Amino acid sequence: MPAEHAPTSCFCSQLYRLGGHFNPAVSLAVTVIGGLKTMLLIPYWISQLFGGLIGAALAKVVSPEERFWNASGAAFAIVQEQEQVAEALGIEIILTMLLVLAVCMGAVNEKTMGPLAPFSIGFSVIVDILAGGSISGACMNPARAFGPAVMAGYWDFHWIYWLGPLLAGLFVGLLIRLLIGDEKTRLILKSR
């Protein structure tokens, strides 16, 4: 069949358009703005959690015991006291919002997507780590926190790394869906 007559809705082309989601917060936002079918959200989340678990397990296998905390990226171990919780939760929300906004506007939103999306996404991760690494560990990803937590058996204040990023993903998804997305995505403030 000639390429111009090939069906564009085949599973492989849909996966190509969706890109790689390694972060449940990103998947949630992309689902809210209509870039991912709702029925795929839970399988994506399960796959992401398994990916985080496998990555942390590999880091543990190849790292000496005394260096595992550093090798696993144990961002969740930064928060040690109850007094740090509010600041850590707030910074996780803000950092994840920046990341999710870069992903959604750079790689999903048709009006603003472009070839520099990978650069802007990577740059947002670097800025996030530099800005919030010492406050919360700059995790920005529940799957990335889950794997090392399982491997290290460390669950203190772990909920911060779920609640913060998922709230950020939901907020950014709603922001794009309601106000700043392209014509196809936006629900209000549409031009005539």
Side-chain angles (χ1 to χ4, degrees), residues 17-57:
R17 284 187 313 109
L18 292 174
H21 295 204
F22 307 106
N23 188 334
V26 169
S27 297
L28 177 61
V30 172
T31 301
V32 170
I33 66 173
L36 179 67
K37 292 181 181 178
T38 306
M39 65 183 255
L40 291 176
L41 184 61
I42 299 299
Y44 264 63
W45 281 354
I46 292 168
S47 299
Q48 291 159 347
L49 292 176
F50 275 121
L53 191 59
I54 291 167

Side-chain angles (χ1 to χ4, degrees), residues 129-169:
I129 291 170
L130 292 174
S134 63
I135 299 169
S136 69
C139 199
M140 304 168 283
N141 183 342
R144 191 189 115 19
F146 176 73
V150 170
M151 290 295 117
Y154 187 86
W155 298 98
D156 294 354
F157 305 109
H158 184 71
W159 60 272
I160 292 170
Y161 304 104
W162 285 80
L163 183 62
L166 291 177
L167 282 176

Side-chain angles (χ1 to χ4, degrees), residues 99-188:
L99 171 61
V100 174
L101 198 57
V103 171
C104 289
M105 295 304 283
V108 180
N109 190 58
E110 288 182 9
K111 185 178 180 183
T112 57
M113 70 183 344
L116 292 178
F119 175 77
S120 63
I121 294 165
F123 187 70
S124 71
V125 170
I126 292 169
V127 168
D128 283 354
I129 291 170
L130 292 174
S134 63
I135 299 169
S136 69
C139 199
M140 304 168 283
N141 183 342
R144 191 189 115 19
F146 176 73
V150 170
M151 290 295 117
Y154 187 86
W155 298 98
D156 294 354
F157 305 109
H158 184 71
W159 60 272
I160 292 170
Y161 304 104
W162 285 80
L163 183 62
L166 291 177
L167 282 176
L170 182 62
F171 178 75
V172 169
L174 291 173
L175 178 69
I176 292 170
R177 187 72 165 172
L178 297 175
L179 298 173
I180 65 173
D182 59 21
E183 285 290 314
K184 187 173 81 174
T185 303
R186 200 170 49 231
L187 296 177
I188 59 175

Side-chain angles (χ1 to χ4, degrees), residues 56-73:
L58 290 172
K60 188 168 186 170
V61 167
V62 300
S63 302
E65 186 65 34
E66 64 276 359
R67 298 198 65 212
F68 172 67
W69 284 92
N70 188 36
S72 69

